[in-house]
Amino acid sequence: MLRSKDREKLMNAGIFVLLALLGGVAIYPFLWMISVSLEQNANVALPFPPRIIPEEFTFFHYTLVFENNRLLLAYWNSLIIAFFSVILSISSALLGGYAFSRGTFWGKRFLFFMVLATMMIPFETTLIPMFTMFNDFGMINTFYPLILPSIVNALGIILAKQYFDQLPEGLRESAKMDGAGEFLTFFAIFLPLTGPITATLAILSFQGSWNSFIWPLVVINDQMLKTVPLFLSSFSSENGSRLFGVTMATASMSILPILIVFLFLQKYIVRSVALSGLKGE
Amino acid sequence: MLQTKQKPRAKPVVGWKLAPRRESHAIWYVFLLPTIVGILLFTLYPLIESLRLSFTRGVGEQYVGFQNYANVLLSDTFWYAVYNTFYITFFQLLLAIPFGFLIACLINSLRRTSNFFKILFYIPNTTSMVAAATVFLAILHPDGPLNYVVELLGFERVVWLSQPLSAKWGAIILSVWHWLGFVIIVTLANLQAIPGEYYEAASMDGASRIQQWIWITIPNMVGSLTILFVLGWIGGLQRFSDAYMLGGLQGSPARSLHTVVGFIFERGFGGSEYGIASAAAYILFIFILIFTFLSTKLLRMKI
């Protein structure tokens, strides 16, 4: 008995070491990015052979990044866009999810099908009319095209509907007995209970907004309005294969907010990703 | 298995019939107003407008019938972009799905530290493709870490982004690295949903761990592996950021990183050929529908 237990322990240790090695490979690009950004001569040439601990340590590249106000401006732009996108997408997802979960109304199945169908339409198919439409509105080089479309949030509606489905119907009955209408019931009784799902939706939406690239690339040309990915993209294409120190410092700064959000709220992200991946089953 | 558990949960049907049904149902449309307006304005209208544009040409939007479609389908550039997109996506899925599944199995067999590894492997997927590609531009640099490994293994240095084939493989390495965490999270969720009794019963019958893996784990994973395959194709066909970052607007070198969306982007916004770009966008849409349809058929067959 003891021997098989020992074998089990040994095997677990072996798996742990193997996973640690593989995980090291997976995370290596980030460690290397930080290392290059802190390396003294990285603006002249890449340190070769690659190392994790910089040979000559410096914060100089980061000071360069911060002295150039364009990155801070891009941060600010991305934050404003993300803030309003998150508010808009959460509102429409919670309201819609609640209606699909508790409502009885004509055309419910059809409308739900419509919502599902929007998930199957590739964004690229609507790219050109979206551009011409916002152009007609005079909204090119504003944040509106980056914020307003987040009101369509099919995955959010599905996740919210599933969440509301789990809440006891008794809540609604008692609110009704007290004479509350649907709106009051939603805002006073159900909304305060939506913490976990709101967190999930907020993260998904923040991540989507912060990381989106092709649509901002189409609608923003103004230097002052660039988002973080746009700034990073133009920075790395302008500097080609030089200035690695500053480029890596910029890249690591661009990753930082999303990484912080992730590490604090990873429980919700992991769950929502698992849900969205398994929803077809 | 999961379904049988959920079924007996009775719904308090009686209570809700007692509730006053006088209230107008119109209130629910108010709840759905943002979504309905959004779908009409940002999905349905652009979809129809895109179809209309795909039959027109020039600033005057002159009707040209199927000419744009014919132009796209007869264009070598387009088919090369299709080939590139399929090539990169095929190898991305071929490497990331089995490899991610194996890592998920390893993580699942650990008791205590599984959450730590789950987070560790998922980090690349949270970052933007633009940031990831910026780092990989340096990793794929002739003096970068990848070439260091190549030299350690005794091969000649590769100038990754200068040759069509190696540039594609650079994009594959980037996309596998970026997508692996997603595969791990999804397969891990499925692994944890397989009832433990299956394994207990099997080990009572004397099945080894490997036998259990082949006869219990894998059959139970078919569903989520197929889902990953579908999502992978849909996402892969829409790839743009990774190829654009590594290869620029034209997908250099020699258009080897030019993708279908890159084609739409280049013709639409580089050349203002809205008709051609819209036709290509509809062709992409049809590709995606075919893949979604085929894989849902496959799903039904297997489950």
Side-chain angles (χ1 to χ4, degrees):
Chain A
M1 279 314 255
L2 237 162
R3 280 192 66 192
S4 88
K5 236 184 192 171
D6 281 348
R7 242 177 61 188
E8 186 95 339
K9 263 191 183 168
L10 204 68
M11 196 149 122
N12 265 339
I15 290 174
F16 183 87
V17 171
L18 184 61
L19 278 175
L21 286 174
L22 290 170
V25 175
I27 216 71
Y28 174 79
F30 291 128
L31 299 178
W32 182 71
M33 166 188 79
I34 294 166
S35 160
V36 173
S37 74
L38 294 171
E39 180 91 50
Q40 182 79 55
N41 296 318
N43 273 352
V44 184
L46 271 179
F48 199 86
R51 44 185 173 251
I52 290 294
I53 311 292
E55 212 170 50
E56 287 174 77
F57 184 88
T58 179
F59 273 116
F60 176 63
H61 304 130
Y62 285 92
T63 58
L64 275 185
V65 169
F66 281 106
E67 274 167 17
N68 177 350
N69 290 323
R70 301 242 307 269
L71 179 70
L72 294 179
L73 196 61
Y75 254 86
W76 178 240
N77 295 338
S78 276
L79 276 178
I80 292 177
I81 293 163
F83 177 77
F84 287 107
S85 298
V86 167
I87 301 261
L88 209 57
S89 66
I90 291 181
S91 316
S92 81
L94 288 180
L95 286 168
Y98 183 72
F100 283 124
S101 171
R102 296 295 147 109
T104 42
F105 51 95
W106 186 82
K108 181 175 165 180
R109 290 188 61 162
F110 173 74
L111 280 175
F112 195 60
F113 171 78
M114 283 259 291
V115 170
L116 289 179
T118 61
M119 294 218 299
M120 287 175 207
I121 295 158
F123 173 69
E124 290 77 12
T125 310
T126 62
L127 192 63
I128 283 159
M130 287 275 270
F131 172 77
T132 56
M133 180 173 75
F134 280 110
N135 198 17
D136 291 343
F137 292 163
M139 287 179 179
I140 296 305
N141 276 323
T142 68
F143 293 155
Y144 293 109
L146 302 179
I147 294 169
L148 295 177
S150 55
I151 205 164
V152 183
N153 186 2
L155 180 63
I157 287 182
I158 293 164
L159 293 177
K161 179 189 179 297
Q162 282 173 350
Y163 185 81
F164 284 122
D165 282 344
Q166 293 169 349
L167 296 176
E169 179 65 21
L171 287 172
R172 190 151 159 268
E173 281 164 46
S174 46
K176 281 251 168 116
M177 299 263 207
D178 293 342
E182 296 297 354
F183 267 113
L184 193 61
T185 312
F186 174 73
F187 282 107
I189 311 289
F190 281 92
L191 202 57
L193 300 173
T194 55
I197 190 68
T198 305
T200 306
L201 295 174
I203 295 158
L204 284 179
S205 158
F206 176 74
Q207 217 177 348
S209 172
W210 188 270
N211 289 344
S212 76
F213 181 57
I214 183 168
W215 182 231
L217 189 64
V218 169
V219 295
I220 302 289
N221 306 308
D222 191 333
Q223 291 292 338
M224 307 299 282
L225 299 178
K226 281 193 171 170
T227 61
V228 171
L230 288 185
F231 173 75
L232 188 57
S233 162
S234 59
F235 188 88
S236 80
S237 67
E238 273 162 33
N239 297 303
S241 51
R242 56 195 191 89
L243 296 183
F244 287 106
V246 186
T247 308
M248 291 301 126
T250 313
S252 56
M253 290 312 298
S254 87
I255 290 171
L256 198 62
I258 207 91
L259 212 57
I260 291 172
V261 170
F262 173 68
L263 290 178
F264 275 102
L265 300 166
Q266 40 85 15
K267 189 172 75 180
Y268 297 109
I269 301 188
V270 166
R271 193 190 298 148
S272 63
V273 170
L275 271 177
S276 60
L278 290 172
K279 68 177 183 285
E281 259 198 335
Chain B
M1 258 298 137
L2 277 169
Q3 279 166 347
T4 51
K5 263 185 205 162
Q6 280 167 353
K7 262 179 193 167
R9 207 185 69 191
K11 281 190 179 172
V13 185
V14 191
W16 118 237
K17 287 238 165 112
L18 282 172
R21 285 211 68 194
R22 279 287 178 88
E23 197 169 336
S24 162
H25 292 170
I27 187 87
W28 296 113
Y29 299 111
V30 182
F31 275 90
L32 283 167
L33 195 65
T35 301
I36 294 172
V37 171
I39 288 177
L40 291 178
L41 206 57
F42 303 128
T43 308
L44 208 59
Y45 164 74
L47 201 63
I48 295 164
E49 176 68 1
S50 185
L51 188 64
R52 190 187 68 80
L53 279 173
S54 73
F55 294 110
T56 69
R57 183 168 298 168
V59 194
E61 297 184 357
Q62 189 194 355
Y63 180 78
V64 292
F66 281 95
Q67 218 178 318
N68 288 328
Y69 288 90
N71 265 353
V72 171
L73 292 174
L74 291 172
S75 143
D76 290 340
T77 319
F78 177 75
W79 285 110
Y80 193 48
V82 172
Y83 168 75
N84 294 335
T85 310
F86 276 52
Y87 186 97
I88 296 170
T89 307
F90 177 77
F91 284 105
Q92 176 198 352
L93 302 192
L94 190 71
L95 292 171
I97 294 180
F99 195 49
F101 172 48
L102 286 176
I103 292 177
C105 288
L106 289 178
I107 292 177
N108 195 40
S109 69
L110 285 179
R111 262 186 221 124
R112 269 184 231 140
T113 42
S114 66
N115 210 34
F116 166 74
F117 281 117
K118 194 155 77 175
I119 295 165
L120 184 71
F121 281 104
Y122 190 65
I123 285 176
N125 198 249
T126 64
T127 63
S128 73
M129 186 44 106
V130 173
T134 303
V135 177
F136 267 71
L137 275 170
I139 285 184
L140 298 168
H141 188 270
D143 288 333
L146 191 62
N147 267 349
Y148 179 70
V149 176
V150 167
E151 276 188 342
L152 275 187
L153 295 173
F155 296 100
E156 290 255 320
R157 276 188 182 204
V158 184
V159 186
W160 287 91
L161 297 174
S162 74
Q163 296 294 320
L165 187 66
S166 59
K168 272 202 207 41
W169 275 93
I172 292 166
I173 293 169
L174 167 60
S175 60
V176 168
W177 175 79
H178 195 254
W179 200 53
L180 195 68
F182 182 78
V183 176
I184 291 173
I185 296 280
V186 170
T187 48
L188 203 53
N190 190 347
L191 282 173
Q192 283 161 356
I194 301 174
E197 299 96 65
Y198 287 12
Y199 294 103
E200 280 164 32
S203 58
M204 290 237 239
D205 291 341
S208 72
R209 272 201 169 191
I210 302 227
Q211 281 172 323
Q212 291 176 24
W213 190 73
I214 293 173
W215 298 107
I216 300 173
T217 309
I218 293 196
N220 274 294
M221 291 304 292
V222 172
S224 56
L225 293 180
T226 320
I227 285 280
L228 282 169
F229 184 73
V230 177
L231 293 178
W233 268 113
I234 293 174
L237 288 172
Q238 291 172 269
R239 66 176 351 110
F240 173 75
S241 315
D242 48 356
Y244 178 85
M245 286 298 294
L246 297 186
L249 186 60
Q250 265 136 34
S252 311
R255 287 199 178 272
S256 59
L257 292 176
H258 200 46
T259 63
V260 177
V261 176
F263 181 90
I264 297 169
F265 186 85
E266 193 195 2
R267 300 298 283 265
F269 300 105
S272 290
E273 295 171 280
Y274 293 160
I276 293 274
S278 296
Y282 256 88
I283 292 167
L284 172 71
F285 189 13
I286 292 163
F287 275 148
I288 289 177
L289 280 185
I290 290 171
F291 272 99
T292 315
F293 179 75
L294 280 181
S295 32
T296 46
K297 278 270 156 185
L298 272 174
L299 253 178
R300 284 223 184 88
M301 226 166 60
K302 296 274 174 153
I303 291 180

